[in-house]
Amino acid sequence: MLTTDEVLEQDDHLIQSFADLNALKQQGGRTVISRAEGAYVYSHEGQKLIDGIGGLWCVNIGHGRPEMIDAITEQLQTLDFYSTFYNFTHPKAAALAQKVASLAPGHLNAVHFANSGSVANDSAIRILQHMNIRLGKPEKKMVLSRMGAYHGSTYLAMAMTTPLYADGWHAAHDIVHHLPSVHYWREGQGATEEEFLDHLIAGMRSKIDEIGPDKICAFIAEPIQGAGGVITAPPGYHKRAWEVCQEYDIKYIADEVVTAFCRLGHFFASKDVYGMVPDIITTAKGLTSGYQPLAATIVSDEIHDIISGPDGLFLHGMTYSGHPAAAAAGLKNIEIMENEGLPAQVRETGAYFEQKLRDLTDIEMVGEVRGSHCMTGIEFAKDRATKEGFPPEAQVALKITRACQKRGLIVRPLGNVAILSPTLIMDTAMIDEVADILRDGILEVEAGL
Ligand code: PLP
């Protein structure tokens, strides 16, 4: 077996994503993960680590499930690859499309597959633009997104993401407009949460009036903004935003790349948690629990009927859309979730996890603990009363995540926030352990400030 140093020497040729590439190459900047099992991963040196970020918000059923590996292997032995282009299809893509449609709320019954959440979001916009062209509304192309959003890294998904991620880059800014942040704790400024919500909805309406509803094809929103720092909107926000969209004939895209497949205790959060049925749901990650790259754009009957009407080709798709091995992984993953009652289990353990993390607010430097169930963020503040954050050079969240990793827990730093999106198979004893490690890690850094 190669030593860690030998792996890192090879790794000098790899460009990591979303990283300070210079800092990474310095001694100690990278962790080599070599093995995984259940809720744990193992570093190359053999350190056992609780996977507090579930790979990357995705290994929902836990690592190394033999049933998954068997299902993928069996599929590869039967049909290694065929595309879903032109007039071709294959049994696993068909079966998964039907299964996903059966789990998705209401009238969401047609599925287009992709290989990443970014592409699923691009597909959603391309589908809507295609639909509007067919309806004789070629001007209806613009997209409303929100500050703090993360919708991916392709050219269009980057433009829909909060502008920080496209800073200085050329992006499709001409078709995307960002509504203000929905983060009450930071942006509420003395208003009640209800008043803040009214203000957000009024702002959404006036922005639509300003641009013109006949120019806007979609509003895209994550139920909880993940990579933006686990930001939850005020209660009732999504339903009211959806009502505004319906009133103005704007399609609502719920980006459930993270929130679907049990992370919030349901297969999809839109209806079961937020009480509304979007026109499109995009999802990825938990769809296969990360065992294979797969994403889905799930569209309503109305949209499907229009894009599959007479005349006009749907000129969109990726070679690996609905790859047989990925589709087999998706089917087995959902079967496991259903057989083991994962949604109900997460409604219990996730609520416990959320509460244990909220208990950390008794620590001075913890400003806000937010999120829901197994999607949580802890924001650190220099002064909780004024909400003043630590300067970026203090690297507080990074130091805390390192202190946690030393103690056996992987946490993701993001500015002044530590993000937790673990596997969904943790029992209460492991959740207690996670909370204890976080407390010790935070206190260690606080003591050194
Ligand atoms: N949408 C959301 C909400 C995400 O969190 C992500 C990735 O983290 C994406 C889209 C993009 O997914 P991918 O990285 O698979 O392209």
Side-chain angles (χ1 to χ4, degrees), residues 24 32 61 102 116 148 156 168 176 182 213 217 235 240 258 282 291 303 327 333 390 404 433:
L24 264 199
V32 181
I61 59 169
S102 77
S116 76
L156 182 52
V176 181
V182 297
C217 70
R240 284 187 58 187
V258 172
T282 56
Y291 282 74
I303 297 169
N333 175 59
F390 291 97
C404 290
E433 193 186 341

mmCIF file with all atom_site columns, all heavy atoms in Angstrom, residues 24 32 61 102 116 148 156 168 176 182 213 217 235 240 258 282 291 303 327 333 390 404 433:
data_model
loop_
_atom_site.group_PDB
_atom_site.id
_atom_site.type_symbol
_atom_site.label_atom_id
_atom_site.label_alt_id
_atom_site.label_comp_id
_atom_site.label_asym_id
_atom_site.label_entity_id
_atom_site.label_seq_id
_atom_site.pdbx_PDB_ins_code
_atom_site.Cartn_x
_atom_site.Cartn_y
_atom_site.Cartn_z
_atom_site.occupancy
_atom_site.B_iso_or_equiv
_atom_site.pdbx_formal_charge
_atom_site.auth_seq_id
_atom_site.auth_comp_id
_atom_site.auth_asym_id
_atom_site.auth_atom_id
_atom_site.pdbx_PDB_model_num
ATOM 1   N N   . LEU A 1 24  ? -3.821  24.190 0.150   1.00 0.00 ? 24  LEU A N   1
ATOM 2   C CA  . LEU A 1 24  ? -3.994  22.731 0.186   1.00 0.00 ? 24  LEU A CA  1
ATOM 3   C C   . LEU A 1 24  ? -2.699  21.970 -0.007  1.00 0.00 ? 24  LEU A C   1
ATOM 4   O O   . LEU A 1 24  ? -2.502  20.910 0.573   1.00 0.00 ? 24  LEU A O   1
ATOM 5   C CB  . LEU A 1 24  ? -4.922  22.311 -0.948  1.00 0.00 ? 24  LEU A CB  1
ATOM 6   C CG  . LEU A 1 24  ? -6.377  22.117 -0.662  1.00 0.00 ? 24  LEU A CG  1
ATOM 7   C CD1 . LEU A 1 24  ? -6.976  21.275 -1.753  1.00 0.00 ? 24  LEU A CD1 1
ATOM 8   C CD2 . LEU A 1 24  ? -6.603  21.473 0.683   1.00 0.00 ? 24  LEU A CD2 1
ATOM 9   N N   . VAL A 1 32  ? -6.384  12.276 3.278   1.00 0.00 ? 32  VAL A N   1
ATOM 10  C CA  . VAL A 1 32  ? -6.650  11.191 2.326   1.00 0.00 ? 32  VAL A CA  1
ATOM 11  C C   . VAL A 1 32  ? -7.641  10.237 2.996   1.00 0.00 ? 32  VAL A C   1
ATOM 12  O O   . VAL A 1 32  ? -7.365  9.680  4.055   1.00 0.00 ? 32  VAL A O   1
ATOM 13  C CB  . VAL A 1 32  ? -5.357  10.424 1.976   1.00 0.00 ? 32  VAL A CB  1
ATOM 14  C CG1 . VAL A 1 32  ? -5.654  9.309  0.968   1.00 0.00 ? 32  VAL A CG1 1
ATOM 15  C CG2 . VAL A 1 32  ? -4.293  11.377 1.436   1.00 0.00 ? 32  VAL A CG2 1
ATOM 16  N N   . ILE A 1 61  ? -27.713 6.590  3.290   1.00 0.00 ? 61  ILE A N   1
ATOM 17  C CA  . ILE A 1 61  ? -27.927 5.254  3.888   1.00 0.00 ? 61  ILE A CA  1
ATOM 18  C C   . ILE A 1 61  ? -26.656 4.693  4.537   1.00 0.00 ? 61  ILE A C   1
ATOM 19  O O   . ILE A 1 61  ? -26.637 3.557  5.003   1.00 0.00 ? 61  ILE A O   1
ATOM 20  C CB  . ILE A 1 61  ? -28.446 4.222  2.847   1.00 0.00 ? 61  ILE A CB  1
ATOM 21  C CG1 . ILE A 1 61  ? -27.448 4.084  1.691   1.00 0.00 ? 61  ILE A CG1 1
ATOM 22  C CG2 . ILE A 1 61  ? -29.845 4.576  2.364   1.00 0.00 ? 61  ILE A CG2 1
ATOM 23  C CD1 . ILE A 1 61  ? -27.739 2.918  0.761   1.00 0.00 ? 61  ILE A CD1 1
ATOM 24  N N   . SER A 1 102 ? -43.382 8.299  -8.523  1.00 0.00 ? 102 SER A N   1
ATOM 25  C CA  . SER A 1 102 ? -44.370 7.852  -7.521  1.00 0.00 ? 102 SER A CA  1
ATOM 26  C C   . SER A 1 102 ? -44.090 8.478  -6.150  1.00 0.00 ? 102 SER A C   1
ATOM 27  O O   . SER A 1 102 ? -45.005 8.679  -5.357  1.00 0.00 ? 102 SER A O   1
ATOM 28  C CB  . SER A 1 102 ? -44.389 6.322  -7.427  1.00 0.00 ? 102 SER A CB  1
ATOM 29  O OG  . SER A 1 102 ? -43.270 5.858  -6.694  1.00 0.00 ? 102 SER A OG  1
ATOM 30  N N   . SER A 1 116 ? -25.276 15.277 -12.319 1.00 0.00 ? 116 SER A N   1
ATOM 31  C CA  . SER A 1 116 ? -24.957 16.127 -11.176 1.00 0.00 ? 116 SER A CA  1
ATOM 32  C C   . SER A 1 116 ? -26.104 17.081 -10.931 1.00 0.00 ? 116 SER A C   1
ATOM 33  O O   . SER A 1 116 ? -26.908 17.359 -11.836 1.00 0.00 ? 116 SER A O   1
ATOM 34  C CB  . SER A 1 116 ? -23.683 16.932 -11.451 1.00 0.00 ? 116 SER A CB  1
ATOM 35  O OG  . SER A 1 116 ? -23.981 17.985 -12.337 1.00 0.00 ? 116 SER A OG  1
ATOM 36  N N   . GLY A 1 148 ? -27.414 34.040 -1.482  1.00 0.00 ? 148 GLY A N   1
ATOM 37  C CA  . GLY A 1 148 ? -27.125 32.915 -0.579  1.00 0.00 ? 148 GLY A CA  1
ATOM 38  C C   . GLY A 1 148 ? -27.399 31.561 -1.195  1.00 0.00 ? 148 GLY A C   1
ATOM 39  O O   . GLY A 1 148 ? -27.124 30.530 -0.591  1.00 0.00 ? 148 GLY A O   1
ATOM 40  N N   . LEU A 1 156 ? -24.669 27.960 -16.213 1.00 0.00 ? 156 LEU A N   1
ATOM 41  C CA  . LEU A 1 156 ? -25.979 28.504 -15.844 1.00 0.00 ? 156 LEU A CA  1
ATOM 42  C C   . LEU A 1 156 ? -26.225 28.352 -14.339 1.00 0.00 ? 156 LEU A C   1
ATOM 43  O O   . LEU A 1 156 ? -26.704 29.274 -13.684 1.00 0.00 ? 156 LEU A O   1
ATOM 44  C CB  . LEU A 1 156 ? -27.073 27.796 -16.659 1.00 0.00 ? 156 LEU A CB  1
ATOM 45  C CG  . LEU A 1 156 ? -28.503 28.252 -16.459 1.00 0.00 ? 156 LEU A CG  1
ATOM 46  C CD1 . LEU A 1 156 ? -28.641 29.750 -16.632 1.00 0.00 ? 156 LEU A CD1 1
ATOM 47  C CD2 . LEU A 1 156 ? -29.415 27.542 -17.469 1.00 0.00 ? 156 LEU A CD2 1
ATOM 48  N N   . GLY A 1 168 ? -16.195 38.184 -10.599 1.00 0.00 ? 168 GLY A N   1
ATOM 49  C CA  . GLY A 1 168 ? -15.176 38.474 -11.607 1.00 0.00 ? 168 GLY A CA  1
ATOM 50  C C   . GLY A 1 168 ? -15.257 37.572 -12.829 1.00 0.00 ? 168 GLY A C   1
ATOM 51  O O   . GLY A 1 168 ? -14.578 37.796 -13.821 1.00 0.00 ? 168 GLY A O   1
ATOM 52  N N   . VAL A 1 176 ? -30.394 36.075 -15.027 1.00 0.00 ? 176 VAL A N   1
ATOM 53  C CA  . VAL A 1 176 ? -30.684 35.714 -13.623 1.00 0.00 ? 176 VAL A CA  1
ATOM 54  C C   . VAL A 1 176 ? -30.733 36.962 -12.750 1.00 0.00 ? 176 VAL A C   1
ATOM 55  O O   . VAL A 1 176 ? -29.862 37.824 -12.835 1.00 0.00 ? 176 VAL A O   1
ATOM 56  C CB  . VAL A 1 176 ? -29.600 34.749 -13.070 1.00 0.00 ? 176 VAL A CB  1
ATOM 57  C CG1 . VAL A 1 176 ? -29.930 34.366 -11.626 1.00 0.00 ? 176 VAL A CG1 1
ATOM 58  C CG2 . VAL A 1 176 ? -29.497 33.498 -13.937 1.00 0.00 ? 176 VAL A CG2 1
ATOM 59  N N   . VAL A 1 182 ? -32.820 35.566 2.652   1.00 0.00 ? 182 VAL A N   1
ATOM 60  C CA  . VAL A 1 182 ? -33.980 35.276 3.513   1.00 0.00 ? 182 VAL A CA  1
ATOM 61  C C   . VAL A 1 182 ? -33.544 35.000 4.949   1.00 0.00 ? 182 VAL A C   1
ATOM 62  O O   . VAL A 1 182 ? -34.344 34.540 5.762   1.00 0.00 ? 182 VAL A O   1
ATOM 63  C CB  . VAL A 1 182 ? -34.771 34.056 2.980   1.00 0.00 ? 182 VAL A CB  1
ATOM 64  C CG1 . VAL A 1 182 ? -35.336 34.349 1.605   1.00 0.00 ? 182 VAL A CG1 1
ATOM 65  C CG2 . VAL A 1 182 ? -33.903 32.787 2.944   1.00 0.00 ? 182 VAL A CG2 1
ATOM 66  N N   . PRO A 1 213 ? -43.536 39.883 -15.617 1.00 0.00 ? 213 PRO A N   1
ATOM 67  C CA  . PRO A 1 213 ? -43.737 38.439 -15.488 1.00 0.00 ? 213 PRO A CA  1
ATOM 68  C C   . PRO A 1 213 ? -43.647 37.700 -16.816 1.00 0.00 ? 213 PRO A C   1
ATOM 69  O O   . PRO A 1 213 ? -43.289 36.531 -16.866 1.00 0.00 ? 213 PRO A O   1
ATOM 70  C CB  . PRO A 1 213 ? -45.138 38.310 -14.881 1.00 0.00 ? 213 PRO A CB  1
ATOM 71  C CG  . PRO A 1 213 ? -45.761 39.640 -14.976 1.00 0.00 ? 213 PRO A CG  1
ATOM 72  C CD  . PRO A 1 213 ? -44.679 40.657 -15.119 1.00 0.00 ? 213 PRO A CD  1
ATOM 73  N N   . CYS A 1 217 ? -39.223 33.025 -16.554 1.00 0.00 ? 217 CYS A N   1
ATOM 74  C CA  . CYS A 1 217 ? -39.731 31.650 -16.687 1.00 0.00 ? 217 CYS A CA  1
ATOM 75  C C   . CYS A 1 217 ? -39.752 30.933 -15.343 1.00 0.00 ? 217 CYS A C   1
ATOM 76  O O   . CYS A 1 217 ? -40.587 30.051 -15.140 1.00 0.00 ? 217 CYS A O   1
ATOM 77  C CB  . CYS A 1 217 ? -38.918 30.849 -17.713 1.00 0.00 ? 217 CYS A CB  1
ATOM 78  S SG  . CYS A 1 217 ? -37.242 30.428 -17.249 1.00 0.00 ? 217 CYS A SG  1
ATOM 79  N N   . PRO A 1 235 ? -40.773 30.791 8.541   1.00 0.00 ? 235 PRO A N   1
ATOM 80  C CA  . PRO A 1 235 ? -41.863 29.822 8.308   1.00 0.00 ? 235 PRO A CA  1
ATOM 81  C C   . PRO A 1 235 ? -42.911 30.407 7.358   1.00 0.00 ? 235 PRO A C   1
ATOM 82  O O   . PRO A 1 235 ? -43.296 31.568 7.509   1.00 0.00 ? 235 PRO A O   1
ATOM 83  C CB  . PRO A 1 235 ? -42.455 29.630 9.719   1.00 0.00 ? 235 PRO A CB  1
ATOM 84  C CG  . PRO A 1 235 ? -41.369 30.050 10.664  1.00 0.00 ? 235 PRO A CG  1
ATOM 85  C CD  . PRO A 1 235 ? -40.536 31.073 9.956   1.00 0.00 ? 235 PRO A CD  1
ATOM 86  N N   . ARG A 1 240 ? -45.707 30.908 0.408   1.00 0.00 ? 240 ARG A N   1
ATOM 87  C CA  . ARG A 1 240 ? -46.131 32.220 -0.101  1.00 0.00 ? 240 ARG A CA  1
ATOM 88  C C   . ARG A 1 240 ? -45.406 32.560 -1.409  1.00 0.00 ? 240 ARG A C   1
ATOM 89  O O   . ARG A 1 240 ? -45.997 33.145 -2.321  1.00 0.00 ? 240 ARG A O   1
ATOM 90  C CB  . ARG A 1 240 ? -45.904 33.289 0.963   1.00 0.00 ? 240 ARG A CB  1
ATOM 91  C CG  . ARG A 1 240 ? -46.998 33.175 2.047   1.00 0.00 ? 240 ARG A CG  1
ATOM 92  C CD  . ARG A 1 240 ? -46.959 34.283 3.041   1.00 0.00 ? 240 ARG A CD  1
ATOM 93  N NE  . ARG A 1 240 ? -47.100 35.613 2.470   1.00 0.00 ? 240 ARG A NE  1
ATOM 94  C CZ  . ARG A 1 240 ? -46.949 36.727 3.182   1.00 0.00 ? 240 ARG A CZ  1
ATOM 95  N NH1 . ARG A 1 240 ? -46.674 36.636 4.483   1.00 0.00 ? 240 ARG A NH1 1
ATOM 96  N NH2 . ARG A 1 240 ? -47.082 37.908 2.625   1.00 0.00 ? 240 ARG A NH2 1
ATOM 97  N N   . VAL A 1 258 ? -30.123 18.553 -2.019  1.00 0.00 ? 258 VAL A N   1
ATOM 98  C CA  . VAL A 1 258 ? -29.701 18.098 -0.682  1.00 0.00 ? 258 VAL A CA  1
ATOM 99  C C   . VAL A 1 258 ? -30.887 17.595 0.149   1.00 0.00 ? 258 VAL A C   1
ATOM 100 O O   . VAL A 1 258 ? -30.786 16.580 0.842   1.00 0.00 ? 258 VAL A O   1
ATOM 101 C CB  . VAL A 1 258 ? -28.990 19.242 0.071   1.00 0.00 ? 258 VAL A CB  1
ATOM 102 C CG1 . VAL A 1 258 ? -28.724 18.861 1.527   1.00 0.00 ? 258 VAL A CG1 1
ATOM 103 C CG2 . VAL A 1 258 ? -27.672 19.620 -0.609  1.00 0.00 ? 258 VAL A CG2 1
ATOM 104 N N   . THR A 1 282 ? -35.649 19.464 -8.564  1.00 0.00 ? 282 THR A N   1
ATOM 105 C CA  . THR A 1 282 ? -34.373 18.864 -8.974  1.00 0.00 ? 282 THR A CA  1
ATOM 106 C C   . THR A 1 282 ? -33.783 18.162 -7.766  1.00 0.00 ? 282 THR A C   1
ATOM 107 O O   . THR A 1 282 ? -33.944 18.614 -6.622  1.00 0.00 ? 282 THR A O   1
ATOM 108 C CB  . THR A 1 282 ? -33.384 19.924 -9.495  1.00 0.00 ? 282 THR A CB  1
ATOM 109 O OG1 . THR A 1 282 ? -33.198 20.926 -8.490  1.00 0.00 ? 282 THR A OG1 1
ATOM 110 C CG2 . THR A 1 282 ? -33.883 20.562 -10.770 1.00 0.00 ? 282 THR A CG2 1
ATOM 111 N N   . TYR A 1 291 ? -23.532 6.577  -4.138  1.00 0.00 ? 291 TYR A N   1
ATOM 112 C CA  . TYR A 1 291 ? -22.851 5.378  -4.644  1.00 0.00 ? 291 TYR A CA  1
ATOM 113 C C   . TYR A 1 291 ? -22.569 5.484  -6.141  1.00 0.00 ? 291 TYR A C   1
ATOM 114 O O   . TYR A 1 291 ? -21.671 4.808  -6.640  1.00 0.00 ? 291 TYR A O   1
ATOM 115 C CB  . TYR A 1 291 ? -23.682 4.118  -4.349  1.00 0.00 ? 291 TYR A CB  1
ATOM 116 C CG  . TYR A 1 291 ? -23.580 3.642  -2.911  1.00 0.00 ? 291 TYR A CG  1
ATOM 117 C CD1 . TYR A 1 291 ? -24.214 4.325  -1.883  1.00 0.00 ? 291 TYR A CD1 1
ATOM 118 C CD2 . TYR A 1 291 ? -22.836 2.507  -2.592  1.00 0.00 ? 291 TYR A CD2 1
ATOM 119 C CE1 . TYR A 1 291 ? -24.118 3.890  -0.564  1.00 0.00 ? 291 TYR A CE1 1
ATOM 120 C CE2 . TYR A 1 291 ? -22.735 2.059  -1.276  1.00 0.00 ? 291 TYR A CE2 1
ATOM 121 C CZ  . TYR A 1 291 ? -23.379 2.755  -0.269  1.00 0.00 ? 291 TYR A CZ  1
ATOM 122 O OH  . TYR A 1 291 ? -23.281 2.325  1.025   1.00 0.00 ? 291 TYR A OH  1
ATOM 123 N N   . ILE A 1 303 ? -45.953 20.596 -17.767 1.00 0.00 ? 303 ILE A N   1
ATOM 124 C CA  . ILE A 1 303 ? -44.724 20.882 -18.524 1.00 0.00 ? 303 ILE A CA  1
ATOM 125 C C   . ILE A 1 303 ? -44.404 19.727 -19.475 1.00 0.00 ? 303 ILE A C   1
ATOM 126 O O   . ILE A 1 303 ? -44.080 19.935 -20.648 1.00 0.00 ? 303 ILE A O   1
ATOM 127 C CB  . ILE A 1 303 ? -43.541 21.123 -17.546 1.00 0.00 ? 303 ILE A CB  1
ATOM 128 C CG1 . ILE A 1 303 ? -43.813 22.360 -16.693 1.00 0.00 ? 303 ILE A CG1 1
ATOM 129 C CG2 . ILE A 1 303 ? -42.223 21.260 -18.311 1.00 0.00 ? 303 ILE A CG2 1
ATOM 130 C CD1 . ILE A 1 303 ? -42.852 22.534 -15.527 1.00 0.00 ? 303 ILE A CD1 1
ATOM 131 N N   . ALA A 1 327 ? -28.751 4.139  -12.296 1.00 0.00 ? 327 ALA A N   1
ATOM 132 C CA  . ALA A 1 327 ? -30.183 3.901  -12.105 1.00 0.00 ? 327 ALA A CA  1
ATOM 133 C C   . ALA A 1 327 ? -30.411 2.704  -11.172 1.00 0.00 ? 327 ALA A C   1
ATOM 134 O O   . ALA A 1 327 ? -31.289 2.729  -10.299 1.00 0.00 ? 327 ALA A O   1
ATOM 135 C CB  . ALA A 1 327 ? -30.855 3.671  -13.454 1.00 0.00 ? 327 ALA A CB  1
ATOM 136 N N   . ASN A 1 333 ? -31.166 1.959  -3.561  1.00 0.00 ? 333 ASN A N   1
ATOM 137 C CA  . ASN A 1 333 ? -31.092 2.937  -2.477  1.00 0.00 ? 333 ASN A CA  1
ATOM 138 C C   . ASN A 1 333 ? -32.495 3.263  -1.935  1.00 0.00 ? 333 ASN A C   1
ATOM 139 O O   . ASN A 1 333 ? -32.737 3.267  -0.723  1.00 0.00 ? 333 ASN A O   1
ATOM 140 C CB  . ASN A 1 333 ? -30.407 4.195  -3.035  1.00 0.00 ? 333 ASN A CB  1
ATOM 141 C CG  . ASN A 1 333 ? -30.350 5.350  -2.055  1.00 0.00 ? 333 ASN A CG  1
ATOM 142 O OD1 . ASN A 1 333 ? -29.787 5.233  -0.982  1.00 0.00 ? 333 ASN A OD1 1
ATOM 143 N ND2 . ASN A 1 333 ? -30.927 6.478  -2.444  1.00 0.00 ? 333 ASN A ND2 1
ATOM 144 N N   . PHE A 1 390 ? -16.293 36.812 13.047  1.00 0.00 ? 390 PHE A N   1
ATOM 145 C CA  . PHE A 1 390 ? -14.834 36.849 13.132  1.00 0.00 ? 390 PHE A CA  1
ATOM 146 C C   . PHE A 1 390 ? -14.274 37.236 11.764  1.00 0.00 ? 390 PHE A C   1
ATOM 147 O O   . PHE A 1 390 ? -14.846 36.872 10.737  1.00 0.00 ? 390 PHE A O   1
ATOM 148 C CB  . PHE A 1 390 ? -14.299 35.460 13.527  1.00 0.00 ? 390 PHE A CB  1
ATOM 149 C CG  . PHE A 1 390 ? -14.635 35.088 14.940  1.00 0.00 ? 390 PHE A CG  1
ATOM 150 C CD1 . PHE A 1 390 ? -15.734 34.288 15.219  1.00 0.00 ? 390 PHE A CD1 1
ATOM 151 C CD2 . PHE A 1 390 ? -13.844 35.534 15.998  1.00 0.00 ? 390 PHE A CD2 1
ATOM 152 C CE1 . PHE A 1 390 ? -16.052 33.941 16.519  1.00 0.00 ? 390 PHE A CE1 1
ATOM 153 C CE2 . PHE A 1 390 ? -14.156 35.177 17.304  1.00 0.00 ? 390 PHE A CE2 1
ATOM 154 C CZ  . PHE A 1 390 ? -15.262 34.384 17.571  1.00 0.00 ? 390 PHE A CZ  1
ATOM 155 N N   . CYS A 1 404 ? -12.074 19.286 15.656  1.00 0.00 ? 404 CYS A N   1
ATOM 156 C CA  . CYS A 1 404 ? -13.039 18.168 15.668  1.00 0.00 ? 404 CYS A CA  1
ATOM 157 C C   . CYS A 1 404 ? -12.447 16.950 14.965  1.00 0.00 ? 404 CYS A C   1
ATOM 158 O O   . CYS A 1 404 ? -12.609 15.815 15.429  1.00 0.00 ? 404 CYS A O   1
ATOM 159 C CB  . CYS A 1 404 ? -14.346 18.584 14.994  1.00 0.00 ? 404 CYS A CB  1
ATOM 160 S SG  . CYS A 1 404 ? -15.274 19.785 15.951  1.00 0.00 ? 404 CYS A SG  1
ATOM 161 N N   . GLU A 1 433 ? -22.056 11.598 20.813  1.00 0.00 ? 433 GLU A N   1
ATOM 162 C CA  . GLU A 1 433 ? -20.601 11.687 20.616  1.00 0.00 ? 433 GLU A CA  1
ATOM 163 C C   . GLU A 1 433 ? -20.263 12.878 19.704  1.00 0.00 ? 433 GLU A C   1
ATOM 164 O O   . GLU A 1 433 ? -19.325 13.637 19.989  1.00 0.00 ? 433 GLU A O   1
ATOM 165 C CB  . GLU A 1 433 ? -20.097 10.365 20.005  1.00 0.00 ? 433 GLU A CB  1
ATOM 166 C CG  . GLU A 1 433 ? -18.599 10.207 20.046  1.00 0.00 ? 433 GLU A CG  1
ATOM 167 C CD  . GLU A 1 433 ? -18.127 8.940  19.303  1.00 0.00 ? 433 GLU A CD  1
ATOM 168 O OE1 . GLU A 1 433 ? -18.945 8.016  19.073  1.00 0.00 ? 433 GLU A OE1 1
ATOM 169 O OE2 . GLU A 1 433 ? -16.935 8.894  18.952  1.00 0.00 ? 433 GLU A OE2 1
#
